[in-house]
Amino acid sequence: MGKNKNVIIVGGGIVGLSSAYYLQKEGHNVTVLDKSEMNWGASYVNAGYITPSHIIPLASPGMISKGIKYMFNPVSPFYMKPRLDLDFMKWAWYFKKSSTTAKVKLAMPLIKNINLLSRELFEDIKNSGDLGDFHLERKGLLMVYQTQKEGDHEMMVARIASDMGLEVTNLDSDGLNKVEPNVKFNALGAVHYECDGHTTPTQFMERMIDYLPKCGVKINKNEEVLDVSVNGNKITEIKTNKASYSADEVVFAAGSWTSMLSKKMNIKLPLQAGKGYRINVESPTNISMPAILMEAKMAVTPMQGYTRFAGTMEFSGINHTIRKKRVDAIAQGAERYYEGLKISEEDKSNAQCGLRPVTPDGLPYIGTSEQFENLTLATGHAMMGWSLGPATGKLVTELISDKKLSMNIDSFAPERRF
């Protein structure tokens, strides 16, 4: 087998573009199809974190009871909109089944390993000079807490992370002020995960979109896949609103929309869209350290040109409705932690949202389809899509190129049983 396959990638987010990046380096002919203008969505509005520290999957003990408690509060950080939708109800049942201590224990090293692989690949991309000098910093991530309860919980996670070889420091309020000297925190302390990094996502995406066509990758924007033709266990044709394509290999990397594509082919892929919001503040905030504000369940990232405040996990189906109450809750949450911070009405009115694809067990779907030998699925990264983009692209490329995999991905099998 080997070189020069024609590969169609459906989806132009971080996972799709990372796949294109590594596939073209292996000599494949790559076409990326995306139904949008490729300037919005989850790959553009995320917190930009590279997070080996995020070892605990979303599906963990207690999350369902929290979800039920939050369900009737539309400004809560974790919101499941009650709805009679069979796919959602099945997904919620699988999520409940996955939320066990034993399953979390199995997931943690896998999440850590793929994050460390991806962190290394971000560095490699930067060092290659392919995308020019893009923003990539390794200052770590502060988990900032205002209550001892949250502090104790995070210290327990920190001990596990430390035992797994990740660099972690506990900071009291004085230690916090030393690490972030130009702002005054209203907090008891923080856990500093020195292993983490951060980027400016829009900048990285724009550089990728600029670089890939120079290497022969075709990027077709505003092109939606309408139908997929199959013959036996192979995909033979991809039909869009503009053209039809035949390919040796197909990659579904369409984020939250991947389950809809899979449905056309009778592949059951339990996946729900988890909506997140972001506010960019362009005026100076003096914030220099990425931080997660624990009780508010939100993220703060100093990016090039602005400080980003991001948060919420809203399960309300595939829609881009911006709920003002939820945006206000993010702004108010941030203002409670940083003394003197004021997020303007204008900044709030420019808020955007994106849909993260969430699997029931918190592990991504990365692998070859059981039913179609020339289909690779790459989605379901939940809140770690940005962090895991390069690693996923590399693994997709190794699968398609019949190369030794950088890590064991059996647990990421797309058609696994829950």
Side-chain angles (χ1 to χ4, degrees), residues 135 137 198-200 203 279-285 287 301-308 347:
H135 176 218
E137 285 189 84
H198 73 284
T199 56
T200 301
Q203 181 197 54
I279 304 167
N280 288 346
V281 173
E282 290 181 25
S283 54
T285 60
I287 294 168
T301 318
M303 296 185 179
Q304 288 205 330
Y306 44 85
T307 307
R308 174 165 290 178
D347 287 334

Side-chain angles (χ1 to χ4, degrees), residues 147-159:
T147 59
Q148 203 53 55
K149 185 182 170 215
E150 284 291 349
D152 291 344
H153 171 76
E154 196 55 43
M155 282 176 204
M156 184 192 73
V157 176
R159 279 194 294 276

Side-chain angles (χ1 to χ4, degrees), residues 7 20 61 66 91-92 95 99 105 114 148 150 184 235 248-249 251 300 313 327 342 346 358 384 409-410:
V7 185
K66 270 186 197 164
W91 177 91
F95 185 95
S99 299
K105 203 172 174 183
I114 189 170
Q148 203 53 55
E150 284 291 349
K184 186 145 176 44
I235 293 176
D248 302 315
E249 297 280 347
V251 180
V300 182
M313 180 60 92
V327 175
K342 198 80 195 98
E346 188 187 355
V358 184
M384 290 182 287
I409 59 169
D410 292 350

Side-chain angles (χ1 to χ4, degrees), residues 181-250:
N182 297 321
V183 297
K184 186 145 176 44
F185 272 107
N186 175 21
L188 292 179
V191 172
H192 184 196
Y193 290 97
E194 294 158 54
C195 47
D196 289 10
H198 73 284
T199 56
T200 301
T202 302
Q203 181 197 54
F204 184 89
M205 293 297 288
E206 285 169 354
R207 299 278 176 92
M208 265 289 190
I209 291 166
D210 183 50
Y211 168 77
L212 289 170
K214 293 173 184 166
C215 308
V217 173
K218 293 184 190 72
I219 295 182
N220 298 357
K221 300 177 184 180
N222 302 308
E223 188 155 354
E224 184 174 3
V225 173
L226 301 177
D227 204 9
V228 181
S229 303
V230 297
N231 183 3
N233 65 349
K234 284 199 127 169
I235 293 176
T236 52
E237 192 180 19
I238 300 271
K239 295 190 182 90
T240 73
N241 57 339
K242 294 183 177 176
S244 73
Y245 303 86
S246 59
D248 302 315
E249 297 280 347
V250 177

